[in-house]
Amino acid sequence: MRKLCIIVLLAVMAAGCDKEKGTSSKNYNGLMITEVAANADKPATASWVEIYNSSKKDLDLSGLGLYIFDEESEGEELTIMDDRTILAGERLVFSTADYSLIRGFGSDKDFEIVLGMSADKDIVDRFSRNKVAGPTERFGSYQKIPEKGGDWVITTQATRRIGNYDAKPNGIWVWSSHMDQWIADDFKVLKQMKQLGYDHILLNYYSFDAPENVEKACKIISAAKEHGMKVHAWMQVFKEDGNWVNPIENLGSRQGRYKQEEFDRLIEKAGRYIDEFDVDGIHLDYIRFSGSGSGIANYNNFDNGVTASGAINEFCRQLREAVDSRPEGVILSAAMVTSNDVMYYFGQDPAAMGKYIDILIPMAYKSTPNRTYDSGWIVSKCSEFTSVTDAQVWAGIQTYTHYSGSQQVKGMTAEEVRADADAISVSQCSGLVLFRYALGEFPDVNDLW
């Protein structure tokens, strides 16, 4: 079974309660608290609680609530779950960001969160801060690893809505044409990248779609799992065979409708990558309108409420639902445009997409044939995402620069790439992805976060 984890700083005893408050309700077997982000002690950061239905049946949450015991209260109700159902294998997050939690709590003080019919009886599960030895870091959380019968640990990276995991938040985009290099000499390149701190491989879709590549992809996935790395299927969304696909009907009698058949095709493809290859994530590229012309996305806004950004958001919602229907969580990430007026030209709405996508990756590419920015530009562009979403934001940066006025590129040194990475590490981003393997040198980033 897939185990999605993040950097574990400290293993501790499984969460328990110091008070005798009753026993777990047998009607909720498999329902558990799996992650707690206690951020009231951190500026402008949401507190949240994730619950997980590890059973094989849907559960009615009516009557359940989350309650807190801390220095402010003894059993205050943080949220109620009336008229909510949690599907088999689904994760729900209750957060101060969307007011589904009425208040936050900090990791610098003891507290206890109770999931139950009330604060003191019919307890389903609980998390006790005083059983964990310290506060969390800036992007961290308390996680149960493994989720079934595991210990509560302090992590440096939260994993909201996905399975808990221990991989470092650094990745590399890899083309299918480079798989032979990663496999050669007993996976020498893969092992080197692991040693340098790159635990996520975003592997191009052609690795899975071309019959001659399938065996290679399976070898890389198997080796990655053996070495604690995660493989994401890097798929194209609204672009097929080099042509842009409009997710909205704009001709004929169906004008102004989302192309559900296109959504279904893409969701089926993502499902195949998960089911047949056991990938740990789905990375969405070209999840946008082309941006060509004068606001092509804007031209796909209709009076009936169908909009360009609405099409992208609806696809993300449906994909999230399809992914969450599986027994274990799969990481969803998306490549994001960093241009101005991104809604008008490309139809991307980071705030809305972040409700469904775990990791937004702004393509903060500072070099083009016509200009080169500095590291500060990368940070400023990424901050446009961290300021509007509660999802994780990993900066996508280049490992190469362009020769002035030319399409030709030259690889950056490890020191140059590391300088950009260092700038990102002090921003509100919580991860890094490099574009791409076989261009430039890769620095050691084990200490980055």
Side-chain angles (χ1 to χ4, degrees):
M1 181 177 292
R2 181 181 299 105
K3 299 177 182 177
L4 300 176
C5 304
I6 205 165
I7 304 170
V8 176
L9 298 181
L10 177 65
V12 296
M13 295 295 293
C17 184
D18 291 339
K19 314 170 186 66
E20 294 295 332
K21 301 193 187 103
T23 58
S24 298
S25 169
K26 64 181 181 180
N27 295 325
Y28 295 100
N29 289 336
L31 187 64
M32 63 185 75
I33 300 172
T34 52
E35 187 167 7
V36 175
N39 292 324
D41 53 327
K42 306 173 184 67
T45 307
S47 297
W48 47 267
V49 178
E50 177 190 77
I51 67 172
Y52 172 44
N53 178 7
S54 65
S55 76
K56 296 183 178 180
K57 64 179 182 179
D58 300 347
L59 298 175
D60 181 2
L61 300 179
S62 296
L64 286 181
L66 289 171
Y67 302 86
I68 187 168
F69 291 82
D70 62 7
E71 63 181 17
E72 296 182 31
S73 70
E74 285 289 314
E76 179 184 4
E77 188 174 67
L78 293 177
T79 189
I80 57 174
M81 304 177 187
D82 287 347
D83 302 321
R84 295 291 297 269
T85 296
I86 185 169
L87 304 178
E90 185 180 16
R91 303 168 194 276
L92 294 179
V93 173
F94 299 89
S95 173
T96 56
D98 60 7
Y99 305 105
S100 53
L101 288 183
I102 64 170
R103 72 170 174 90
F105 32 88
S107 69
D108 56 340
K109 299 176 182 177
D110 286 346
F111 65 90
E112 183 174 74
I113 300 291
V114 169
L115 170 64
M117 302 295 287
S118 70
D120 56 3
K121 64 179 180 180
D122 293 324
I123 305 302
V124 176
D125 200 7
R126 70 190 97 220
F127 165 77
S128 296
R129 160 63 176 79
N130 63 345
K131 298 294 185 181
V132 187
T136 56
E137 297 184 8
R138 181 172 46 162
F139 301 113
S141 67
Y142 302 108
Q143 297 181 30
K144 186 187 288 185
I145 299 178
E147 293 165 322
K148 295 181 181 179
D151 293 333
W152 280 96
V153 300
I154 298 175
T155 70
T156 58
Q157 290 289 319
T159 60
R160 187 177 67 120
R161 281 206 312 263
I162 58 180
N164 300 342
Y165 64 94
D166 62 1
K168 294 180 176 66
N170 306 309
I172 303 174
W173 278 285
V174 179
W175 285 353
S176 61
S177 57
H178 298 132
M179 286 195 296
D180 286 335
Q181 297 177 37
W182 282 65
I183 293 172
D185 298 327
D186 191 28
F187 301 97
K188 181 179 179 180
V189 171
L190 183 145
K191 293 175 182 177
Q192 288 175 336
M193 293 303 172
K194 171 65 178 179
Q195 291 175 349
L196 290 172
Y198 302 94
D199 281 357
H200 295 264
I201 304 168
L202 279 59
L203 190 58
N204 186 265
Y205 72 97
Y206 202 64
S207 307
F208 311 99
D209 291 353
E212 65 271 20
N213 287 335
V214 167
E215 184 178 354
K216 300 174 187 177
C218 289
K219 287 181 178 180
I220 287 178
I221 292 169
S222 178
K225 290 183 183 297
E226 180 182 347
H227 290 86
M229 302 170 77
K230 309 299 176 185
V231 176
H232 307 240
W234 167 16
M235 63 180 288
Q236 293 186 341
V237 181
F238 299 130
K239 197 171 188 181
E240 183 76 10
D241 297 327
N243 299 311
W244 287 96
V245 177
N246 191 330
I248 298 176
E249 299 281 0
N250 56 11
L251 295 174
S253 61
R254 293 178 57 85
Q255 184 177 25
R257 299 183 186 180
Y258 298 138
K259 288 183 180 175
Q260 186 60 48
E261 65 275 14
E262 183 65 16
F263 293 177
D264 293 341
R265 182 185 71 82
L266 292 166
I267 291 171
E268 181 180 3
K269 177 178 284 192
R272 183 173 69 84
Y273 295 152
I274 298 168
D275 298 335
E276 295 183 13
F277 292 91
D278 196 25
V279 297
D280 301 290
I282 299 294
H283 175 60
L284 307 174
D285 201 0
Y286 296 107
I287 184 163
R288 57 183 176 86
F289 287 72
S290 69
S292 61
S294 180
I296 190 169
N298 190 58
Y299 292 153
N300 285 276
N301 295 329
F302 294 87
D303 292 339
N304 63 355
V306 169
T307 65
S309 61
I312 294 172
N313 298 338
E314 176 60 15
F315 170 74
C316 290
R317 186 195 68 78
Q318 292 186 26
L319 179 61
R320 174 89 265 164
E321 186 176 275
V323 165
D324 286 349
S325 68
R326 287 167 164 78
E328 284 290 338
V330 172
I331 304 168
L332 291 184
S333 63
M336 306 294 289
V337 179
T338 56
S339 300
N340 295 329
D341 298 324
V342 67
M343 282 273 287
Y344 181 83
Y345 288 104
F346 301 98
Q348 287 187 340
D349 181 352
M353 293 173 68
K355 296 177 181 178
Y356 312 111
I357 305 299
D358 302 300
I359 306 169
L360 301 182
I361 306 177
M363 298 178 290
Y365 299 164
K366 70 179 188 179
S367 176
T368 73
N370 301 317
R371 54 99 179 118
T372 298
Y373 294 120
D374 59 16
S375 297
W377 178 88
I378 297 176
V379 173
S380 68
K381 283 298 177 183
C382 290
S383 68
E384 295 175 5
F385 292 82
T386 58
S387 63
V388 299
T389 180
D390 202 29
Q392 293 191 47
V393 177
W394 294 14
I397 65 173
Q398 292 163 298
T399 59
Y400 61 90
T401 59
H402 290 78
Y403 289 99
S404 180
S406 172
Q407 293 289 341
Q408 292 185 323
V409 300
K410 57 180 178 180
M412 297 167 62
T413 66
E415 291 75 16
E416 290 171 328
V417 176
R418 179 62 200 232
D420 288 341
D422 285 340
I424 294 164
S425 70
V426 298
S427 73
Q428 291 300 310
C429 289
S430 54
L432 172 74
V433 186
L434 299 184
F435 186 78
R436 61 175 172 78
Y437 175 73
L439 267 179
E441 299 175 351
F442 294 84
D444 189 314
V445 290
N446 279 289
D447 62 336
L448 193 59
W449 308 100

